[in-house]
Structures are given as C-alpha cells and as structure tokens.
Amino acid sequence: KPVPYLGGIAIVTGIVLVSYGAIFFRDYSPSNFWLATTVIAPAVLMSGIGLLDDIRNLSPWPRFIAQNAVALVSTLVLISTKTVGNPTGSTALDILVTIIWIVGLTNSINFLDNIDGGASGVVAISSFFLFLIAFEGGQILISALSLSLTGATLGFLVWNRPPARIYMGDAGALFLGILLASLTIRLRPNPINEFARFCVPILLLAIPILDTSVVVISRILSGKSPFQGGQDHLSHRLVRRGMTRKQAMITLWLATAFLSTLSYVISNA
C-alpha cells in the first residue's frame, strides 16, 4: 500500500528549529551561531538535493556531483577554521579524506535506508554514543547537536518501525548522513594513541560503512553500477539467511550498539 516518503522533512525541521532555538534562547553569541551554521547549513543543502531527487528522481551522476560540491564547501570551512578533529598534518590529505568521509557517509546512510527502521535506528544509536563521547570531551556543540539528532530519529522511528507508516526519503537520509559525517569529523576523542583516535568515528559508523562497502564491492564484481539498486544490502542478506525483516533490523541495531560501545570504551581508554 502507498507509504509517504517525505518524513525526512520533519526530521530536518525538528533538528534545525531545536538547534537554533537553543542557541538564541540559551547561549547566543555570533561565534556559536556561526559554528552551528557551518554544521547545519551544508546538511540543509544536502537535504535539498535529496528532496529534489525524491520528487524528480535525479540520475546518479548529477546527484553525486552536487553532493561533492556541498562536501567541498563544508570541507573548506572545516579546514579554514581548523575544526577537523583528527588532522593528518597535511592540508591536501585532510581535504581529500574529509570529502571522501562526508560523501561516503552521506550515501552510506542513504544506502542503509532499505529496511523499515534500519537507518533511523542505527543513526539514533550512533548519535547517542557520539553525544556521550563529545560531552565527556567538553565539545558542547557536537554533543548538543548529536542529542538533537538522537531525539529526532527516535521520534521518527515511532512511525518508521515495521511496518513503516512513513519513510524518510533521500531528503532525510542525506541530511542525517552529512550531519553525522560533519559531527564525527569535528570530534576530538582522546584515547591512548593516534590509531585508536581514528578508530573512534569509524567504529561509531561501522555498520553503514560496512553495508555500503559490501554493496559497492559486490556490484562492481558482478559488473553492475554501484548506483544501481538491488537486494544485496546487509538487511537483505540477513533476511535470505532466514531472519524476518524485524529480526534483521534488530540485528543491525545490536551490532551498531556493540561497536558504538566499543568506540566509547576506546575514547575513554
């Protein structure tokens, strides 16, 4: 039966209103406003690309080019304001890695939105642990936006759990993806060594990254375009193994919770 697929607009509206409302009514300053805008504005732009895709069904390459343009602008802001949490020491390498991280993760969340409650549940769990890590590290803006992200996705999950009564669409998935990417790239965890510090954001988002990696590699090996749809995501593979769609969804949630907990432990080592 028909299911509405523009639920992402509600997610975007909720996060933007709550975030700026908190800034204006609690702790307004030009620096805080600018800092929040450097995170939220690119996410809103990316959501606009997704909304256009939802309505007009854009072809993959124009959509991919637009995503890279938004990611480039976001990256240049991050580099110029020195807000990259784990800089490599090379500006060129920082720009390259940041663009790949933003575009890759944005599409990873979009790819993960292939089963009821999958993407919204995973994002809710990852963003909650991101809140814990950022809060304990004194990064208040990241922790506040992460908690807002957790609340928005949990509220959406009420309507998106199986059987879903609404979908987030590309407008919601791309917004959540770039927002998570921007927040994690700014995160400054303080574990015992350099390698562990880079592992923290990767573990937080390991399930979306793994899902996209499996899909892209399997499609390339079979001679298909990575942008082509298919039944080769982690959730589809779990269902083919005998799980129900609800069990597959819960499995993704549990795996995300385990890896996010590991990330939290490493960040406090």
Side-chain angles (χ1 to χ4, degrees):
K1 62 181 182 180
V3 177
Y5 63 93
L6 292 182
I9 302 301
I11 296 175
V12 174
T13 303
I15 290 177
V16 170
L17 290 180
V18 167
S19 300
Y20 280 114
I23 291 173
F24 280 115
F25 292 106
R26 177 62 182 171
D27 189 21
Y28 176 78
S29 69
S31 60
N32 281 345
F33 178 83
W34 166 247
L35 199 57
T37 301
T38 59
V39 179
I40 294 173
V44 173
L45 284 175
M46 194 71 82
S47 178
I49 296 170
L51 180 60
L52 192 61
D53 188 32
D54 286 330
I55 296 173
R56 298 193 175 181
N57 195 23
L58 300 176
S59 57
W61 281 110
R63 183 177 62 204
F64 187 67
I65 292 171
Q67 290 173 357
N68 275 273
V70 174
L72 176 61
V73 172
S74 182
T75 297
L76 293 177
V77 171
L78 284 165
I79 299 299
S80 63
T81 55
K82 301 186 187 315
T83 48
V84 175
N86 291 315
T88 63
S90 167
T91 301
L93 185 57
D94 284 345
I95 292 174
L96 178 62
V97 170
T98 303
I99 291 175
I100 292 174
W101 178 259
I102 291 175
V103 175
L105 194 59
T106 298
N107 284 288
S108 291
I109 299 301
N110 195 23
F111 276 22
L112 193 65
D113 189 29
N114 58 74
I115 188 172
D116 296 352
S120 52
V122 167
V123 170
I125 295 167
S126 296
S127 57
F128 176 72
F129 278 92
L130 178 59
F131 153 72
L132 292 178
I133 295 170
F135 185 77
E136 293 190 0
Q139 292 185 269
I140 302 303
L141 176 67
I142 294 177
S143 61
L145 286 173
S146 299
L147 195 58
S148 176
L149 184 54
T150 304
T153 46
L154 283 177
F156 180 75
L157 187 58
V158 173
W159 308 99
N160 186 234
R161 71 184 189 277
R165 285 170 282 179
I166 191 169
Y167 298 134
M168 67 175 68
D170 285 0
L174 296 184
F175 176 83
L176 296 178
I178 190 174
L179 195 56
L180 266 178
S182 298
L183 292 174
T184 50
I185 205 72
R186 293 168 183 261
L187 184 66
R188 293 191 185 95
N190 190 33
I192 53 177
N193 58 58
E194 188 89 4
F195 176 75
R197 191 161 71 241
F198 278 97
C199 285
V200 169
I202 294 174
L203 286 171
L204 275 173
L205 300 164
I207 294 303
I209 293 171
L210 177 62
D211 179 65
T212 299
S213 300
V214 168
V215 167
V216 170
I217 292 172
S218 65
R219 289 178 187 175
I220 291 176
L221 292 178
S222 60
K224 299 178 182 177
S225 168
F227 298 110
Q228 179 181 335
Q231 300 290 311
D232 48 2
H233 291 272
L234 293 179
S235 60
H236 301 140
R237 295 170 189 268
L238 291 172
V239 170
R240 285 199 294 271
R241 290 283 184 176
M243 289 187 181
T244 64
R245 293 177 66 83
K246 185 175 182 178
Q247 288 171 338
M249 175 197 70
I250 292 174
T251 299
L252 295 177
W253 290 0
L254 292 175
T256 301
F258 171 76
L259 293 168
S260 295
T261 301
L262 184 59
S263 177
Y264 176 76
V265 170
I266 290 175
S267 71
N268 285 278

